[in-house]
Amino acid sequence: MEKKLIYMDNAATTKVKPEVVEAMMPYFTELFYNPSSTYGVAGEIAQEVDKARETIADFLNCEAREVFFTGGGSESDNWAIKGIADARKDKGNHIITSKIEHHAVTHACQFLEKNGYEVTYLDVDEYGMVDPKAVESAIKSNTILITIMFANNEIGTIEPVKEIGRIAHEHGVLFHTDAVQAFGHVAIDVKEMNIDMLSASAHKINGPKGVGLMYINKSIRISNLIHGGGQERGKRAGTTNAAGIIGFGKAVEIAASTLEERREHEMRLRNHMVSRVMEEIPYTKYNGHKTERLSNNASFCFRFIEGESLLLMLDMAGICGSSGSACNSGSLDPSHVLLAIGCPHEIAHGSLRLTISEETTLEDVDYTVDKLKGIVERLRSMSPLYEDFIKKGGND
Amino acid sequence: MEKKLIYMDNAATTKVKPEVVEAMMPYFTELFYNPSSTYGVAGEIAQEVDKARETIADFLNCEAREVFFTGGGSESDNWAIKGIADARKDKGNHIITSKIEHHAVTHACQFLEKNGYEVTYLDVDEYGMVDPKAVESAIKSNTILITIMFANNEIGTIEPVKEIGRIAHEHGVLFHTDAVQAFGHVAIDVKEMNIDMLSASAHKINGPKGVGLMYINKSIRISNLIHGGGQERGKRAGTTNAAGIIGFGKAVEIAASTLEERREHEMRLRNHMVSRVMEEIPYTKYNGHKTERLSNNASFCFRFIEGESLLLMLDMAGICGSSGSACNSGSLDPSHVLLAIGCPHEIAHGSLRLTISEETTLEDVDYTVDKLKGIVERLRSMSPLYEDFIKKGGND
Amino acid sequence: MSQATEYSKKVMDHFSNPRNVGEIEDASGVGTVGNAKCGDIMRMYLDIDENQVIREAKFKTFGCGAAVATSSMATELVKGKTVREALEVTNKAVMEALDGLPPVKVHCSLLAEEAIHAALWDYATKNGISIEGLKPPVDDIDETEEFYEMQGE
Amino acid sequence: MSQATEYSKKVMDHFSNPRNVGEIEDASGVGTVGNAKCGDIMRMYLDIDENQVIREAKFKTFGCGAAVATSSMATELVKGKTVREALEVTNKAVMEALDGLPPVKVHCSLLAEEAIHAALWDYATKNGISIEGLKPPVDDIDETEEFYEMQGE
Ligand SMILES: Cc1ncc(COP(=O)(O)O)c(C=O)c1O
Ligand SMILES: Cc1ncc(COP(=O)(O)O)c(C=O)c1O
């Protein structure tokens, strides 16, 4: 592993910042105590945990007691959906979501469908946008929850969350948003944006893996996903992961103070990358919305080639990217997100997601595009689909 | 925090060993990659995660693919109970457990009771022992799961797990055991002990908080608690907490190699402590089983005094102990475990759990007993219950 | 949550150095409130002079840190007061004097108020006096307690 | 799981330096199997002499690393063999020659076997020969694939 790697997969996970590691360290060893214990040292740790909670509450514009720590984004999503489904089962059994949610949301919904719930999976347009009007039309008298992601993990599209939340509230329905990709990258004000519940994950913003959170508006009653001890105000059992939470707090503190500059840097490089790719590599589709998208995300489909081969060759060139979402690598199905925005199967197979960070340089981007160009060419020269296409005169 | 603390609360949580911290470190920074990603460096991390899985599988005498990592012991318990309840709902709706389980088990069971399941909470004897015969009598045609803890967290009693497992299998019922307290402290062979599913947690054996596991026999179908990505063979979604899991693996590796010597050291000191307390402090009850108990656990009830006051005074003397289970501190109810073994309420209120470790010294123990003696005396001198008792001539 | 850090300095001071622990022989009034089942019992002894001034107050308490501290503070607050003034030593007054209590511990201050009242009632009964506004102590305060526990989340 | 580490060295070698990529003009037999929907298409070109010996084999593949590697290995294995011998180049033979494949990728080796068969079928049809044991290629191999996917957990 001597050669330098260019990491373009920040949507999959991010490097823990040294300041975050430093903040966590004491809580493994000297201050390893259980924050729920009676003794004073334990209480001091509990106070640090609550400081992290406050930092995050400030960032989201909510109260500290509305922030609940979990074991990750997937747990938060499952909790939101199953917890509301259970708590409101007397009120209704209908949930509205979209076709481009993360599997943590869609599979939780599918599980509920097997247990007597009804789920509407809304279509999106070619940019991956959910239409708030479609949300409104889908609401029925038995609708108990609307869950629409804040920003998509594959194509980066940012959804009209505020408008969807407004509609939800107009109809007295709860609104949850999976903000795992957006949190720490986009300014989020849960009050202003009409968000009742929000999922986030530390490892997507330079915090540790295995720590997530859910914001739950204080007026909401939700059943536990994990029952047991009285931690997290009785709403999420399990010995408090003090080190992880304190690391999460530090990561948010840093993210909050660098939000704008990161966005600008990423936008500039991302846009440069996209322009070059679209100009220099023919038969390429740029996925997602042009403007309403995460600043660090670029998503392409290269016709006639297949994603895994592309990734392997990029890897050999020292470039880390992803095809579809990382959780699904190794699966043989093309991304449900790309299919939902209207990519035909064989084009969806040739997808590449490159997600940069504040550490990415112009050189990294140019090196990546240069390599990518050659790799796409090489794979196309091996592709029977490309052969047919050229023989047919380059027209479909 | 200058003064030296004597830590006697190892059942609440343990200090992460320096070797474990060291093993985890690289996976926060240089090797922060998502183990599910395609590129080579990510694959190397996935291999380290699988090494941890193998270490643990060897320790439990199962296959690596039967070990699933979770976000902690509570999650594992909830998963076992709710996952089997869902997967076997067509087969039956009856679960058997005991009255002295951890809240992660009892509250998960209570949740199921609200959702159409039926739960039998078995009594225990005065030592906290579940009677295998009672388990057998409780089995009905609709019984789908027996969940009995391996060792109790408050009083340390080790349950007749092997015999209960045998009975479960004889009747074609699954057997889960919450081994969060026992794992790493007692040798466990899941095959030999007839265990189908087992929960454990890293932070109880010098690993990090927020990481747990479940052993699930490969023949068992269980529904997910956390749906989503394909991690953990599709059974537990969420970006793999590589650092945490690798730390867990290291902790198990160390625990496996020191099991016997730790047990001997702890038994010797614990027995010394118990003898001194029982000889020198009158009106004291020693809770739990005399021999069938965790080597590091001592649990007492001191009559006429209340647990929190006792803990606060011990804390002022630099001694960390617990009253009941740590998760419940701050609650006003006395421990359900002590009530189940027949302690009257007012006696259950005066409980103290001291749980030592391999690092505890004879001096620590003697200092603790000396201080404890004075504190109990002092609190009794302030107690109206003690006043009444003495005025009545020291008889009940 | 850790009690040691949730308690104010004043609470910890009154817990670790409780004032007026003990009994008063032949006290003018003695009151015991709470029950062992709930984990708190307070007993208050008052020595009251002929002008209905509380000369001396002592307590014994079985209970948590807050129970001890509120008992201690309650004895301090009633000492030197007239019986009528002592009636105005409410649970709020005790809490304020201790710089507050964690929500789950508010019921301890209520118990302290009731202990004062119970001791005053005993004094009134023994001496055939009627003190305006003083009600007989409740036998079992479980219900009241539960109410206050709920307040404290 | 990471493909790069799940693949054997041989697979990675055949993926990064695939042998016999390309087309053969006026090939004796050409076979295309798989479909773009499933993410794998293999096309195999065979140049077969009058003694039914495979003189030359080339391929083009749209697919994952394993698809490329199995195609490459399949061409290597059939080169120099008679038509009859080539029929015995099974998916197992391809897999073994590659030091194995991850379970989810087993279907790629099957595809390679089918590509050989399809090219041989084309050759047989063009030349009016019947080759014992050779079946006509299936039009849509979706079903077979799914079956094999399930095998691979
Ligand atoms: C017996 C038992 N079960 C379950 C748990 C819960 O484990 P965790 O805190 O890791 O969620 C604990 C400890 O807290 C325990 O002692
Ligand atoms: C949009 C979205 N939701 C949920 C998740 C799941 O988060 P975690 O891996 O922390 O469980 C992810 C990332 O994996 C994500 O991108």
Side-chain angles (χ1 to χ4, degrees):
Chain A
M1 213 97 349
E2 285 93 64
K3 76 175 176 212
K4 195 210 160 194
L5 283 180
I6 296 181
Y7 187 66
M8 296 257 181
D9 201 13
N10 285 281
T13 195
T14 57
K15 186 193 272 181
V16 184
K17 280 203 188 290
E19 301 95 308
V20 172
V21 177
E22 211 179 293
M24 291 167 68
M25 275 300 97
Y27 301 92
F28 291 122
T29 50
E30 312 102 80
L31 297 170
F32 69 93
Y33 308 96
N34 188 328
S36 299
S37 296
T38 324
Y39 26 95
V41 276
E44 287 168 36
I45 300 167
Q47 284 172 344
E48 289 304 314
V49 166
D50 280 337
K51 262 192 219 159
R53 207 185 297 279
E54 273 155 35
T55 302
I56 290 165
D58 284 349
F59 188 51
L60 287 171
N61 189 30
C62 68
E63 295 174 32
R65 62 174 171 145
E66 296 177 312
V67 173
F68 299 87
F69 291 110
T70 68
S74 300
E75 185 194 320
S76 298
D77 286 342
N78 275 263
W79 181 19
I81 293 166
K82 298 175 187 171
I84 290 300
D86 183 74
R88 306 204 140 198
K89 59 176 181 282
D90 296 333
K91 219 185 145 289
N93 68 338
H94 178 235
I95 292 171
I96 298 170
T97 185
S98 84
K99 287 201 176 143
I100 62 158
E101 299 298 310
H102 188 269
H103 281 163
V105 167
T106 49
H107 291 175
C109 285
Q110 285 162 6
F111 170 76
L112 288 179
E113 284 184 286
K114 285 195 212 145
N115 284 277
Y117 290 82
E118 192 194 325
V119 181
T120 301
Y121 300 89
L122 294 174
D123 283 321
V124 295
D125 69 13
E126 61 185 304
Y127 308 109
M129 276 283 179
V130 172
D131 181 357
K133 289 206 201 76
V135 174
E136 182 148 34
S137 317
I139 296 176
K140 305 193 291 181
S141 62
N142 61 338
T143 306
I144 49 175
L145 178 68
I146 294 168
T147 173
I148 301 287
M149 69 202 318
F150 201 109
N152 182 271
N153 45 307
E154 296 186 33
I155 59 175
T157 302
I158 296 174
E159 302 298 337
V161 165
K162 183 177 168 177
E163 179 62 7
I164 295 170
R166 195 188 58 70
I167 289 167
H169 291 176
E170 242 175 57
H171 293 264
V173 177
L174 288 182
F175 176 47
H176 165 256
T177 189
D178 172 352
V180 170
Q181 287 293 332
F183 182 77
H185 296 278
V186 177
I188 301 179
D189 179 326
V190 291
K191 298 277 134 77
E192 212 241 342
M193 291 178 165
N194 309 312
I195 297 168
D196 296 316
M197 292 185 287
L198 173 147
S199 306
S201 191
H203 75 93
K204 305 285 189 190
I205 56 156
N206 306 105
K209 294 174 184 51
V211 192
L213 67 82
M214 186 138 79
Y215 151 75
I216 307 176
N217 183 289
K218 61 174 181 284
S219 69
I220 295 173
R221 279 184 154 260
I222 183 169
S223 300
N224 281 22
L225 182 69
I226 300 180
H227 290 87
Q231 295 92 350
E232 300 297 309
R233 299 163 51 85
K235 285 207 158 69
R236 198 281 189 181
T239 300
T240 305
N241 179 358
I245 291 169
I246 289 164
F248 196 1
K250 188 74 190 174
V252 170
E253 185 191 312
I254 297 169
S257 71
T258 58
L259 200 65
E260 252 327 294
E261 67 195 75
R262 266 187 301 134
R263 213 180 81 90
E264 273 166 31
H265 173 83
E266 289 168 2
M267 286 262 276
R268 197 165 48 79
L269 293 191
R270 194 268 319 276
N271 292 348
H272 172 73
M273 176 161 73
V274 173
S275 320
R276 276 202 60 195
V277 168
M278 296 308 291
E279 271 163 33
E280 301 175 30
I281 307 182
Y283 315 120
T284 299
K285 181 175 177 301
Y286 181 44
N287 303 312
H289 201 279
K290 296 277 159 317
T291 55
E292 298 299 302
R293 77 185 294 147
L294 294 173
S295 53
N296 70 344
N297 172 294
S299 168
F300 306 100
C301 285
F302 301 103
R303 283 182 65 188
F304 318 120
I305 67 174
E306 193 273 341
E308 187 199 295
S309 295
L310 181 56
L311 291 183
L312 285 172
M313 290 205 171
L314 283 170
D315 186 21
M316 293 189 289
I319 300 160
C320 301
S322 114
S323 180
S325 82
C327 312
N328 303 320
S329 304
S331 116
L332 301 157
D333 300 325
S335 144
H336 65 289
V337 175
L338 298 177
L339 297 179
I341 62 170
C343 286
H345 269 78
E346 70 271 24
I347 295 183
H349 275 295
S351 74
L352 175 69
R353 179 186 72 182
L354 298 173
T355 43
I356 62 176
S357 79
E358 63 193 312
E359 288 185 16
T360 310
T361 65
L362 187 62
E363 290 68 45
D364 293 341
V365 167
D366 279 326
Y367 175 86
T368 302
V369 178
D370 292 344
K371 287 288 170 191
L372 183 59
K373 220 168 125 178
I375 290 168
V376 170
E377 257 168 42
R378 182 160 175 224
L379 285 170
R380 282 182 178 160
S381 77
M382 287 170 59
S383 167
L385 292 174
Y386 189 65
E387 180 185 319
D388 293 348
F389 176 78
I390 293 301
K391 282 184 180 157
K392 274 194 264 164
N395 296 306
D396 297 272
Chain B
M1 213 119 337
E2 284 94 64
K3 76 175 172 213
K4 194 211 161 193
L5 283 180
I6 297 181
Y7 187 66
M8 296 258 182
D9 201 14
N10 286 281
T13 195
T14 56
K15 187 193 272 182
V16 183
K17 280 202 188 289
E19 301 94 308
V20 172
V21 176
E22 209 178 293
M24 291 167 68
M25 276 299 98
Y27 301 92
F28 291 121
T29 49
E30 313 101 80
L31 297 171
F32 69 92
Y33 309 95
N34 188 327
S36 299
S37 295
T38 324
Y39 25 96
V41 275
E44 287 167 35
I45 300 168
Q47 284 172 343
E48 289 304 314
V49 166
D50 280 336
K51 263 193 219 157
R53 208 185 297 279
E54 274 156 35
T55 302
I56 290 166
D58 283 350
F59 189 50
L60 287 171
N61 190 28
C62 68
E63 295 174 31
R65 62 174 172 145
E66 295 178 313
V67 173
F68 299 87
F69 291 109
T70 68
S74 300
E75 185 193 321
S76 298
D77 285 342
N78 275 263
W79 180 20
I81 293 166
K82 297 174 188 172
I84 290 300
D86 183 73
R88 307 205 140 197
K89 59 176 179 284
D90 296 332
K91 218 184 146 291
N93 67 339
H94 179 235
I95 292 171
I96 298 170
T97 185
S98 84
K99 287 201 176 145
I100 61 159
E101 300 297 311
H102 189 268
H103 280 164
V105 167
T106 50
H107 291 176
C109 285
Q110 286 162 7
F111 170 76
L112 288 180
E113 284 184 287
K114 286 194 211 147
N115 284 276
Y117 289 83
E118 192 194 324
V119 181
T120 300
Y121 300 90
L122 294 174
D123 284 321
V124 294
D125 70 13
E126 62 184 304
Y127 307 110
M129 277 283 180
V130 171
D131 181 356
K133 290 206 202 76
V135 175
E136 183 148 33
S137 317
I139 297 176
K140 305 192 291 182
S141 63
N142 61 338
T143 306
I144 49 177
L145 178 70
I146 294 169
T147 173
I148 300 287
M149 69 202 318
F150 201 110
N152 184 270
N153 46 306
E154 295 186 33
I155 58 175
T157 302
I158 297 175
E159 301 298 337
V161 166
K162 183 176 170 178
E163 179 61 7
I164 295 169
R166 196 188 58 71
I167 290 167
H169 291 176
E170 243 176 54
H171 294 264
V173 177
L174 287 182
F175 175 46
H176 166 256
T177 189
D178 172 352
V180 170
Q181 287 293 332
F183 181 77
H185 295 278
V186 177
I188 302 179
D189 179 326
V190 291
K191 297 278 133 79
E192 212 242 341
M193 291 178 166
N194 309 312
I195 298 168
D196 296 316
M197 292 185 287
L198 174 146
S199 306
S201 190
H203 74 93
K204 306 285 189 189
I205 57 156
N206 307 105
K209 295 174 184 48
V211 192
L213 67 81
M214 185 137 80
Y215 152 74
I216 308 177
N217 183 290
K218 61 175 180 285
S219 68
I220 295 174
R221 281 186 150 257
I222 183 169
S223 299
N224 281 22
L225 183 69
I226 300 181
H227 290 87
Q231 296 90 351
E232 301 297 310
R233 298 163 53 84
K235 285 205 158 71
R236 198 281 189 182
T239 299
T240 305
N241 178 359
I245 291 169
I246 289 164
F248 195 2
K250 189 72 189 176
V252 171
E253 185 191 313
I254 298 170
S257 70
T258 58
L259 200 66
E260 252 327 295
E261 66 194 76
R262 266 186 301 132
R263 212 180 82 89
E264 273 167 31
H265 172 82
E266 289 169 3
M267 286 262 276
R268 197 166 47 79
L269 292 192
R270 194 269 318 278
N271 292 348
H272 172 73
M273 176 160 74
V274 172
S275 319
R276 274 202 61 195
V277 167
M278 296 309 290
E279 270 162 33
E280 300 175 32
I281 307 182
Y283 315 120
T284 299
K285 181 175 177 301
Y286 181 44
N287 304 311
H289 201 278
K290 296 278 159 319
T291 55
E292 297 300 301
R293 76 185 294 148
L294 293 173
S295 54
N296 70 346
N297 172 292
S299 167
F300 306 100
C301 284
F302 301 104
R303 284 182 64 188
F304 318 120
I305 66 173
E306 192 274 341
E308 187 199 296
S309 295
L310 180 56
L311 291 183
L312 285 172
M313 289 203 173
L314 283 171
D315 186 21
M316 294 189 290
I319 299 160
C320 301
S322 115
S323 181
S325 83
C327 312
N328 302 320
S329 304
S331 116
L332 301 157
D333 300 325
S335 143
H336 66 288
V337 176
L338 298 177
L339 297 179
I341 61 170
C343 286
H345 268 79
E346 70 270 24
I347 295 182
H349 275 295
S351 74
L352 175 68
R353 178 185 73 183
L354 298 173
T355 44
I356 62 175
S357 79
E358 62 193 314
E359 289 186 15
T360 309
T361 64
L362 187 62
E363 290 68 47
D364 293 341
V365 167
D366 279 326
Y367 176 85
T368 301
V369 178
D370 292 343
K371 286 289 171 190
L372 183 60
K373 219 168 126 176
I375 290 168
V376 170
E377 258 168 43
R378 179 155 178 227
L379 285 171
R380 282 182 178 160
S381 78
M382 286 170 59
S383 167
L385 292 174
Y386 189 65
E387 181 185 317
D388 294 348
F389 175 78
I390 295 301
K391 281 185 181 155
K392 274 195 264 167
N395 296 307
D396 295 272
Chain C
M1 205 58 69
S2 159
Q3 278 69 26
T5 44
E6 290 244 311
Y7 285 147
S8 69
K9 281 216 180 92
K10 274 258 178 71
V11 171
M12 284 310 289
D13 174 34
H14 274 264
F15 169 71
S16 31
N17 304 297
R19 329 295 199 254
N20 314 309
V21 179
E23 302 165 42
I24 299 176
E25 275 186 44
D26 304 320
S28 324
V30 186
T32 304
V33 295
N35 67 52
K37 204 176 157 204
C38 295
D40 300 287
I41 297 179
M42 286 186 197
R43 178 171 297 163
M44 191 168 289
Y45 297 86
L46 298 178
D47 177 18
I48 302 173
D49 71 12
E50 54 289 354
N51 301 319
Q52 302 204 348
V53 172
I54 298 170
R55 244 193 320 236
E56 176 99 80
K58 295 245 181 214
F59 79 94
K60 285 211 172 173
T61 286
F62 161 85
C64 63
V68 172
T70 51
S71 315
S72 164
M73 182 53 87
T75 54
E76 283 287 275
L77 289 177
V78 297
K79 265 204 307 191
K81 287 210 168 55
T82 65
V83 163
R84 249 148 229 276
E85 286 165 347
L87 259 184
E88 272 148 43
V89 176
T90 59
N91 80 306
K92 256 182 113 177
V94 173
M95 264 174 63
E96 271 164 25
L98 286 169
D99 294 343
L101 283 175
V104 283
K105 298 298 187 181
V106 172
H107 76 285
C108 292
S109 64
L110 198 87
L111 214 54
E113 180 188 308
E114 286 172 0
I116 300 171
H117 290 197
L120 289 174
W121 182 265
D122 183 45
Y123 160 74
T125 316
K126 274 181 187 159
N127 294 279
I129 315 172
S130 126
I131 305 175
E132 206 196 325
L134 182 64
K135 289 190 204 99
V138 248
D139 250 14
D140 191 339
I141 61 149
D142 274 16
E143 273 179 316
T144 350
E145 267 200 309
E146 266 168 42
F147 172 71
Y148 275 86
E149 277 174 35
M150 278 173 54
Q151 304 278 89
E153 326 204 349
Chain D
M1 207 60 69
S2 160
Q3 278 70 25
T5 43
E6 291 244 311
Y7 286 148
S8 69
K9 281 219 179 88
K10 273 259 177 72
V11 171
M12 284 309 289
D13 174 34
H14 275 263
F15 169 72
S16 32
N17 303 298
R19 329 293 199 253
N20 313 310
V21 179
E23 301 165 44
I24 299 177
E25 275 185 45
D26 303 319
S28 323
V30 185
T32 304
V33 295
N35 66 52
K37 205 177 158 203
C38 295
D40 301 287
I41 298 180
M42 287 186 195
R43 178 171 298 162
M44 190 168 288
Y45 297 86
L46 299 177
D47 177 18
I48 302 173
D49 71 12
E50 54 290 351
N51 301 319
Q52 301 204 350
V53 171
I54 298 169
R55 245 193 320 236
E56 176 98 81
K58 296 247 180 211
F59 80 94
K60 285 211 172 173
T61 285
F62 161 86
C64 65
V68 172
T70 52
S71 314
S72 163
M73 182 54 86
T75 54
E76 284 285 275
L77 290 176
V78 298
K79 266 204 305 191
K81 288 212 168 53
T82 64
V83 163
R84 250 148 229 277
E85 286 165 349
L87 259 184
E88 273 150 42
V89 176
T90 59
N91 78 307
K92 255 184 116 177
V94 173
M95 264 174 64
E96 269 163 28
L98 286 169
D99 294 343
L101 283 176
V104 282
K105 299 296 188 182
V106 172
H107 75 286
C108 293
S109 65
L110 197 86
L111 214 55
E113 179 188 310
E114 286 171 359
I116 300 171
H117 291 195
L120 290 174
W121 183 264
D122 182 45
Y123 159 73
T125 318
K126 275 181 187 159
N127 295 278
I129 314 172
S130 127
I131 306 174
E132 206 196 324
L134 182 65
K135 290 190 205 101
V138 248
D139 250 14
D140 190 339
I141 60 148
D142 275 15
E143 273 178 315
T144 348
E145 267 201 308
E146 268 169 40
F147 172 71
Y148 275 87
E149 277 174 34
M150 278 173 56
Q151 304 279 88
E153 325 202 350

